[in-house]
Amino acid sequence: QQPTGADRSLAGDAACTRCHDESETRPILSMYKTRHGVKADARTPGCQSCHGASDAHIRNVGGTASKRTLPDVTFGVRGKSDPQQQSGTCLGCHEGSNRALWLGSQHESRDIPCAGCHTVHAAVDPVLTKLSQPDVCYGCHKTQRAQTHLISTHPLAAAKMACADCHNPHGSATDHLLSKASVNDTCFTCHAEKRGPFLWEHAPVADDCTNCHTPHGSTAAPLLKARVPWLCQECHSGDHANAVNSGANLQDGVVTTAGGLNPLANSGARAQLAARACLNCHVLVHGSNHPAGAKFQR
Amino acid sequence: AESAPSDEVKALTTPGNAFEVGLGGVSDDSFKFGEYNGLEDQGAFLIGSLALHGGGRYNSDDATRWTLTATNLGLSTRKVAAEYGRQGVFRVTLGYDELRRNRSDSYTTPYLGAGSDVLTLPSSWLVPVVPRLNANANARGLSAAVSTSSALVNGVLTAPTPAQLTTANALLAADLPLFAQHDLYTTRSRVEAGISYLAPRQWEIAVNANRMDKTGAKPMGSVTRITGADISSILADPIDQTTDQFTVTLAKRTRQDFLQLSYYGSKFTNHIDSLTWTNWANPASSMTMSSAPSNQAHTLSLNAGHDFTRSTRVVLTGAYGRNTQNAVFLTDTGTPLVPTTSLDGLVVTQTYNLKLTSRPTNRLNLGLAYKFDERDNRTAVHTFAFYDANEPAGTTAINSAFSAALGLPASRLASNANVNASRPYSRRMNQATADATLRLSPGQSLRGAYEWQSLDRWCEGSWIACADADNTKENTWSLEWRANLLATLQTRLSLSRSERDVGHYNEDAFLALVPMANVAPSSAIGGVSAYAYMLANALNGYGPTAGLVSTTGNQNLYFPLNNALANTAYANQNRISELAGLRRYNMADRTRDRIKAVAEWQPTEVLALHANADYRKDDFTQSRYGLIDSRSWSANFEGSVSATEDLSVTLFYTFENQRARSAGNTYTANSTATAVNGFTAIPGGCFPTIALRNASNKIDPCLDWSTSTRDRTSTYGFTADRKNLAGGKLALGLELLLSRTASDNDVTGGNYVNNPLAVTGAPAGTLAAYYLAAAPLPTVKTQRWDAMVNARYALTPASTLRFDYRYAWLRASDYAYEGMQFGGLAGVLPTSETAPHYSLHVASLSYQYRF
């Protein structure tokens, strides 16, 4: 809905564009390249729809030649209008849908306005393209930025994935602002082969993918929270899962040279520790649909 | 800017067209560098991208707009998207997206048919052995250094005989040439289409569909016990899958209300049902493993909200989903009891969330929320019998009482059969949250929140509770203080604590897998089953925490010599009970603390500084074994300088330290054995003789072990951008990145190993065994450099020459790869895979034209 009294016509815009013209170094007129600038769509705003009538700014009431009185509503993070007022302006048209839970959400409650992430005047808003969206998020989420440079990651750097593929920054009923109803539902949108249901379910998998995986990056592939076999031994201590796995069990570990008398031909690393460790044999850890797959070997 | 627009104004206000063509080159092959970006191959690549826009201008009466964009046309990461619509009325979108994910370019295998679902060995394949040792299949025999060297035989270092050398060299000559390298990668292509229509009365209808095809191969382990021993191969697992997803959304919004109804459907089709491979230890035998089953999921969801006032809103979201799977089961000689031909699996998911938010004054925000989230697995429980990894059936029959309970003839199952029941896991979460944010002053606020959560877990139809914790309750308190201490300084400090309580941790939950634990074996006195005996004697599967005693009757049947529950007592080939005191961390009592501090200082328009620190700690308060605790902290520092509108520089550093401690115990069975080939002494350890150790195998404190893992990551970054050089024609960019990680694992404790010299006839005084202390694992390291330079030179107002250069360098060390080399593991066929590393240059020159 247009604010009462807002003149969204080009004539109304002219009150602004006669000064904020092509000489501006920041994108102003490029708004007309965007959906907001399509005047033939009666829903689109004019300058004053969002910035207010701004008479004091236009007439520079109380301002100086060098420091002009600001418009009624200014957008951005620092030194701008109250974030609630900024976001309220946007939500006047963009309420509902995936912004239904904006009020009280992590970002809203930290006074991050829409313009903290969105650059609405730009022909292409960086936060709306996979290539540049992560950089916008990394502006605050810097540890996640570092994690995406680890040896095991999702394809964010290749612009084949973006933060919003999993997260809804406008608010969510799911922890970590996930866009789906659960962690697993979010993962299954790309990894449907792990959805099952399987004949033999692995309890932590059905419970929550992040019991074993960390999504932004890991030193242990594939995106594991800990290296195998220790990740497995955090839950399994029966049968051969109870054994200590240490450097002594490697190819050149002391276990292979007991008393210094066990030569190469007799020695060998422990299979549960080397190569794929537990996954040398227990392969289908996400679940098996084979009648003999209770131990995830079939 | 409206009338008589200049070319400059036109360029600023009219969506333009552009294309880019060029050529690039990569100096070296690297699967890891090109893991996701399509640049895995050395040589030239084409650069091609396109952006076309059309339709009415901003100031016309025509709201029609269309776009066609294409990027990375010369690479396996190409993407094409098209859109046509009349803004405010409808929009149609089409898209194609491709991604190649590289898995391994160092994988070798002797198997024929890599990439297909049947893997066979060449007829010339000889079963590898180490002739000096014995005639058993041994993959280490594929290493000349192993198979032709002296070996300890009966305590004597003995060189291979000429005949043994001939055998060793013959198999090396026959087998090594059969190992061929295969590039393992998967390709994902995605086609999508969508249409949205803005109907009268503010109704909006949107339909989206996409199909994702995934093909290729990835390395995957496999195992068979068909020859008695565990024989593993790392196979090329073929991938040929299709996922179709559909979304239909109907939405309406008024000034005070909104309603959104939607349907989401996902259909996963696996075009490969199974993978069959030949046993390298006995090429006459082959095995079959199942692939991920085709499945479907359908979800209806509701999203509705009402604004009571401009500052008070209630939002209800709900979703009801059904996930089904009914792929036909694979059967073979290893599956003697399969009660149904397919699973007919059904999981019903329900999620409902009610949230009330209000801002009674400009200084106060209030929120109340309730969430219900359930995964109800309604799949029936069935009992199956199988032999581990195609192990041949034994010659003796399973206990007659078990056969009778299963309604099977006495000879149907051998004593080494596993009789397991499926466990369809369900969970239900109830969660209530309350939060309040008070703005103490402009720029200063205090936020407090409380969350209560109750989580139930169960398996419908299991004969006994299957969840280690059938209910957990968690309370979380959090407090956050935000303040702009100065006009230029913003700070935030947040604290939170969660306490998760497990009313009763059920150490008998594992019995849900083994229904024969509820059936009295024919030899049980008084018809007492294993479970009944455990209940009567207050024991769990670990049994008495005690040393050796001679046992009789049912005690000897179920917990002989005070050991853990005997596998034969519940018809399972593995000891699946856990250590007493082990708590699975996702269901264990836990205290979680988190502290986070953030400071952002922008002293001038030119300079901006950021620092934050984040500390997390999880203590699993009741866990003696398993994950004990984990702690992590990270710190970020970033500074950016915008010296002018044309020059900006950013420098950042991130450090992350993650630690975790877990514990276990290498207990073995108490036994009456007193010597190893007549020798008795053990140096080190907790017991000086074989007899004393074996009498205490289950309570030997020297068998306790713990690991302390630590990941340290440092990431350094620098970027610089300079615009308006050369009279405004040239823009330069520089980006440097260094990422270094070190993963350590300190292990305490140890284990016993028999002295290989303790053989019959060895000199008196020979030690029987050694206690070998655990040793730390080698540090796993990764170091990665990236240096990128880009330049854009405007040839004309409409055309730009673009140059990009990147130097990328990676070194990784990981001891896990040692086991993949020839001579590494006895039971695992080597693949020669190596840790990723690269040092390469990528340069490209392209021409961009806008029209």
Side-chain angles (χ1 to χ4, degrees):
Chain A
Q1 297 84 1
Q2 296 293 328
T4 310
D7 181 354
R8 58 172 294 275
S9 70
L10 285 171
D13 291 357
C16 307
T17 55
R18 67 168 172 256
C19 296
H20 298 288
D21 57 12
E22 61 273 27
S23 63
E24 288 278 354
T25 54
R26 292 180 180 174
I28 300 292
L29 296 183
S30 52
M31 168 71 86
Y32 291 115
K33 289 183 176 179
T34 72
R35 292 200 168 90
H36 282 124
V38 179
K39 293 298 181 181
D41 177 0
R43 304 171 308 161
T44 57
C47 306
Q48 297 174 55
S49 306
C50 302
H51 292 283
S54 302
D55 290 335
H57 169 68
I58 293 170
R59 293 186 282 106
N60 197 24
V61 176
T64 65
S66 60
K67 187 160 184 157
R68 199 171 179 88
T69 303
L70 292 172
D72 296 352
V73 183
T74 54
F75 293 86
V77 177
R78 292 193 180 85
K80 306 296 182 182
S81 298
D82 179 83
Q84 294 175 17
Q85 183 184 16
Q86 290 186 51
S87 299
T89 302
C90 304
L91 291 170
C93 295
H94 296 283
E95 195 78 81
S97 183
N98 66 345
R99 291 164 294 276
L101 294 170
W102 169 253
L103 194 59
S105 68
Q106 284 91 327
H107 288 137
E108 190 272 348
S109 63
R110 288 173 171 78
D111 280 346
I112 296 171
C114 306
C117 303
H118 290 280
T119 311
V120 295
H121 276 265
V124 178
D125 184 349
V127 82
L128 296 182
T129 64
K130 276 186 163 57
L131 180 62
S132 48
Q133 182 186 87
D135 287 334
V136 176
C137 303
Y138 297 157
C140 296
H141 302 281
K142 302 177 190 299
T143 302
Q144 285 73 15
R145 170 180 60 188
Q147 290 171 338
T148 61
H149 295 297
L150 297 177
I151 195 82
S152 178
T153 65
H154 273 120
L156 280 92
K160 287 300 177 181
M161 228 183 133
C163 310
D165 287 338
C166 300
H167 300 283
N168 178 0
H170 304 108
S172 166
T174 313
D175 286 350
H176 309 294
L177 288 175
L178 291 178
S179 53
K180 297 287 185 180
S182 69
V183 170
N184 289 25
D185 284 350
T186 306
C187 301
F188 293 155
T189 55
C190 292
H191 303 283
E193 74 279 7
K194 298 177 173 59
R195 181 169 52 204
F198 296 95
L199 164 58
W200 306 109
E201 293 194 320
H202 193 184
V205 178
D207 191 48
D208 186 328
C209 302
T210 59
N211 282 328
C212 300
H213 294 283
T214 180
H216 300 112
S218 170
T219 59
L223 288 168
L224 293 177
K225 290 171 80 172
R227 289 176 67 87
V228 180
W230 299 280
L231 176 64
C232 307
Q233 290 186 302
E234 287 176 354
C235 288
H236 297 286
S237 66
D239 211 76
H240 54 294
N242 73 338
V244 61
N245 289 294
S246 83
N249 305 105
L250 290 173
Q251 176 76 42
D252 52 0
V254 293
V255 74
T256 63
T257 56
L261 294 169
N262 213 4
L264 176 66
N266 301 76
S267 67
R270 189 163 193 269
Q272 287 85 355
L273 176 63
R276 283 164 175 72
C278 307
L279 279 74
N280 286 325
C281 301
H282 302 280
V283 187
L284 304 176
V285 291
H286 294 104
S288 169
N289 208 53
H290 192 296
K295 299 166 189 176
F296 307 120
Q297 297 173 322
R298 288 290 179 270
Chain B
E2 183 191 10
S3 60
S6 67
D7 290 344
E8 196 173 357
V9 171
K10 278 185 182 173
L12 281 169
T13 57
T14 308
N17 304 316
F19 69 81
E20 179 179 18
V21 292
L23 195 64
V26 183
S27 66
D28 300 88
D29 291 336
S30 172
F31 253 39
K32 185 58 184 178
F33 173 75
E35 183 176 13
Y36 295 117
N37 61 22
L39 297 174
E40 61 275 353
D41 293 327
Q42 178 190 38
F45 64 91
L46 288 172
I47 295 172
S49 65
L50 183 69
L52 301 177
H53 300 81
R57 295 189 70 229
Y58 71 99
N59 55 354
S60 75
D61 296 331
D62 181 6
T64 303
R65 292 233 169 156
W66 61 266
T67 63
L68 173 65
T69 60
T71 56
N72 293 346
L73 290 174
L75 297 171
S76 59
T77 53
R78 59 188 58 86
K79 180 176 182 178
V80 180
E83 179 178 320
Y84 178 85
R86 186 176 306 141
Q87 189 168 311
V89 181
F90 74 94
R91 188 193 316 174
V92 178
T93 58
L94 293 170
Y96 174 79
D97 188 14
E98 197 173 299
L99 170 65
R100 167 169 160 158
R101 193 269 171 93
N102 295 319
R103 308 279 180 164
S104 174
D105 60 351
S106 58
Y107 171 84
T108 65
T109 182
Y111 282 98
L112 304 174
S116 76
D117 58 356
V118 178
L119 302 174
T120 58
L121 288 164
S123 57
S124 58
W125 174 260
L126 296 179
V127 175
V129 299
V130 179
R132 175 65 279 176
L133 291 178
N134 50 44
N136 298 339
N138 186 336
R140 300 188 67 238
L142 292 166
S143 162
V146 171
S147 63
T148 63
S149 65
S150 299
L152 202 59
V153 179
N154 293 325
V156 179
L157 191 62
T158 312
T161 65
Q164 290 168 336
L165 282 175
T166 302
T167 303
N169 290 324
L171 73 88
L172 289 169
D175 291 352
L176 295 189
L178 301 178
F179 281 80
Q181 185 270 334
H182 297 271
D183 288 346
L184 299 185
Y185 61 91
T186 51
T187 300
R188 188 187 73 185
S189 60
R190 179 186 175 104
V191 180
E192 54 192 326
I195 182 168
S196 62
Y197 174 64
L198 194 64
R201 300 177 181 274
Q202 296 183 310
W203 283 98
E204 184 170 4
I205 304 164
V207 179
N208 288 282
N210 70 69
R211 163 166 288 193
M212 183 172 71
D213 290 307
K214 190 175 178 183
T215 58
K218 61 184 175 67
M220 178 183 73
S222 67
V223 66
T224 177
R225 202 173 290 161
I226 207 163
T227 52
D230 285 325
I231 298 296
S232 173
S233 312
I234 309 304
L235 305 173
D237 178 30
I239 308 295
D240 186 1
Q241 306 167 346
T242 300
T243 303
D244 295 302
Q245 297 183 95
F246 313 89
T247 307
V248 181
T249 303
L250 177 66
K252 179 179 174 66
R253 187 169 60 82
T254 65
R255 184 172 290 275
Q256 280 188 298
D257 306 284
F258 67 87
L259 171 70
Q260 180 173 298
L261 298 168
S262 59
Y263 160 78
Y264 168 75
S266 173
K267 182 173 181 288
F268 168 75
T269 305
N270 193 342
H271 305 293
I272 296 177
D273 298 331
S274 63
L275 174 61
T276 299
W277 74 104
T278 304
N279 181 7
W280 59 261
N282 177 6
S285 60
S286 64
M287 296 67 55
T288 299
M289 181 152 48
S290 65
S291 300
S294 299
N295 65 75
Q296 298 185 28
H298 305 273
T299 304
L300 289 172
S301 58
L302 163 76
N303 184 353
H306 173 70
D307 294 347
F308 295 105
T309 68
R310 280 183 59 83
S311 58
T312 301
R313 160 183 297 172
V314 64
V315 175
L316 170 68
T317 61
Y320 174 88
R322 293 172 69 88
N323 169 203
T324 58
Q325 188 273 107
N326 201 29
V328 174
F329 289 144
L330 300 172
T331 59
D332 55 31
T333 56
T335 56
L337 176 59
V338 180
T340 177
T341 56
S342 62
L343 184 64
D344 194 19
L346 170 64
V347 171
V348 175
T349 55
Q350 297 183 79
T351 304
Y352 306 103
N353 180 69
L354 183 66
K355 185 175 183 182
L356 177 68
T357 51
S358 181
R359 183 179 292 136
T361 74
N362 282 339
R363 297 184 55 193
L364 181 63
N365 277 21
L366 298 173
L368 281 173
Y370 166 75
K371 182 176 182 180
F372 173 90
D373 180 26
E374 181 178 87
R375 177 190 194 262
D376 183 8
N377 191 336
R378 300 181 184 178
T379 308
V381 173
H382 294 291
T383 298
F384 296 77
F386 63 92
Y387 299 106
D388 282 331
N390 292 92
E391 180 181 54
T395 53
T396 59
I398 199 168
N399 189 285
S400 57
F402 296 163
S403 295
L406 294 166
L408 299 174
S411 59
R412 176 76 174 274
L413 301 179
S415 57
N416 60 327
N418 299 275
V419 178
N420 284 182
S422 54
R423 292 176 289 186
Y425 290 104
S426 297
R427 74 198 291 270
R428 179 188 303 117
M429 183 187 75
N430 283 278
Q431 179 176 288
T433 309
D435 67 82
T437 303
L438 177 64
R439 298 176 197 282
L440 302 169
S441 64
Q444 183 171 205
S445 67
L446 195 62
R447 181 174 195 262
Y450 168 73
E451 179 181 284
W452 170 88
Q453 183 186 91
S454 176
L455 194 52
D456 298 301
R457 294 181 171 91
W458 73 95
C459 297
E460 194 65 43
S462 281
W463 74 273
I464 190 171
C466 69
D468 300 318
D470 58 4
N471 175 266
T472 60
K473 286 190 170 51
E474 185 160 20
N475 293 280
T476 303
W477 301 265
S478 62
L479 193 64
E480 180 172 288
W481 175 67
R482 294 175 49 247
N484 299 344
L485 297 178
L486 303 168
T488 58
L489 177 62
Q490 299 180 325
T491 58
R492 189 170 88 229
L493 177 65
S494 55
L495 314 168
S496 73
R497 159 159 279 222
S498 300
E499 293 178 353
R500 184 169 69 191
D501 176 61
V502 179
H504 166 62
Y505 192 91
N506 177 15
E507 294 185 326
D508 291 337
F510 73 96
L511 294 172
L513 180 68
V514 283
M516 294 303 101
N518 200 34
V519 175
S522 55
S523 52
I525 300 168
V528 175
S529 69
Y531 179 54
Y533 184 86
M534 289 162 65
L535 280 181
N537 294 276
L539 293 170
N540 57 32
Y542 179 73
T545 306
L548 177 70
V549 297
S550 64
T551 48
T552 58
N554 283 344
Q555 183 186 5
N556 192 57
L557 177 66
Y558 295 119
F559 295 98
L561 306 180
N562 275 346
N563 289 322
L565 183 62
N567 295 336
T568 53
Y570 53 44
N572 198 73
Q573 287 303 293
N574 297 89
R575 189 173 67 243
I576 55 175
S577 57
E578 305 296 348
L579 285 161
L582 178 130
R583 300 286 184 264
R584 293 195 163 101
Y585 58 85
N586 61 320
M587 288 179 273
D589 295 82
R590 179 186 69 190
T591 300
R592 167 172 284 178
D593 294 297
R594 182 175 182 185
I595 305 171
K596 187 171 186 178
V598 181
E600 294 189 3
W601 185 40
Q602 189 170 16
T604 69
E605 284 295 316
V606 172
L607 176 66
L609 300 172
H610 170 103
N612 74 43
D614 190 351
Y615 174 78
R616 302 164 188 245
K617 174 183 159 192
D618 284 359
D619 272 337
F620 297 90
T621 52
Q622 302 299 314
S623 302
R624 180 182 170 200
Y625 294 114
L627 184 60
I628 305 300
D629 61 47
S630 65
R631 298 147 202 256
S632 71
W633 68 272
S634 63
N636 288 282
F637 303 93
E638 182 168 314
S640 60
V641 177
S642 302
T644 68
E645 289 191 339
D646 295 331
L647 175 64
S648 63
V649 174
T650 299
L651 188 67
F652 72 82
Y653 171 66
T654 297
F655 179 77
E656 190 170 16
N657 185 329
Q658 297 179 311
R659 305 194 71 144
R661 286 192 311 129
S662 57
N665 180 287
T666 317
Y667 76 98
T668 54
N670 297 320
S671 87
T672 56
T674 59
V676 176
N677 295 324
F679 301 99
T680 60
I682 310 175
C686 294
F687 299 96
T689 67
I690 294 291
L692 291 172
R693 184 201 65 176
N694 287 353
S696 307
N697 273 330
K698 205 163 164 222
I699 54 173
D700 184 345
C702 287
L703 294 179
D704 266 323
W705 56 265
S706 70
T707 70
S708 175
T709 60
R710 181 169 66 162
D711 271 15
R712 288 164 296 166
T713 304
S714 295
T715 310
Y716 309 80
F718 172 80
T719 61
D721 290 293
R722 177 72 166 92
K723 294 183 290 188
N724 286 329
L725 291 167
K729 292 185 172 183
L730 179 64
L732 296 175
L734 169 67
E735 185 173 349
L736 301 173
L737 182 93
L738 168 61
S739 173
R740 303 175 64 183
T741 69
S743 303
D744 297 300
N745 188 346
D746 295 326
V747 188
T748 64
N751 202 353
Y752 298 92
V753 59
N754 285 352
N755 180 2
L757 294 187
V759 296
T760 305
T766 299
L767 297 172
Y770 299 88
Y771 179 76
L772 296 172
L777 276 302
T779 300
V780 174
K781 293 181 179 177
T782 304
Q783 185 162 333
R784 172 180 193 166
W785 270 100
D786 262 300
M788 287 163 277
V789 176
N790 67 76
R792 285 164 179 72
Y793 184 79
L795 299 169
T796 69
S799 61
T800 302
L801 203 59
R802 170 176 167 170
F803 172 75
D804 288 273
Y805 167 77
R806 179 176 182 181
Y807 172 68
W809 184 92
L810 171 76
R811 288 289 180 275
S813 66
D814 189 335
Y815 56 82
Y817 288 92
E818 292 176 12
M820 303 182 196
Q821 308 310 311
F822 285 80
L825 298 176
V828 183
L829 200 63
T831 61
S832 305
E833 289 170 273
T834 54
H837 61 87
Y838 55 74
S839 174
L840 55 83
H841 308 266
V842 183
S844 63
L845 185 65
S846 61
Y847 174 77
Q848 299 173 320
Y849 183 72
R850 294 174 297 281
F851 57 98

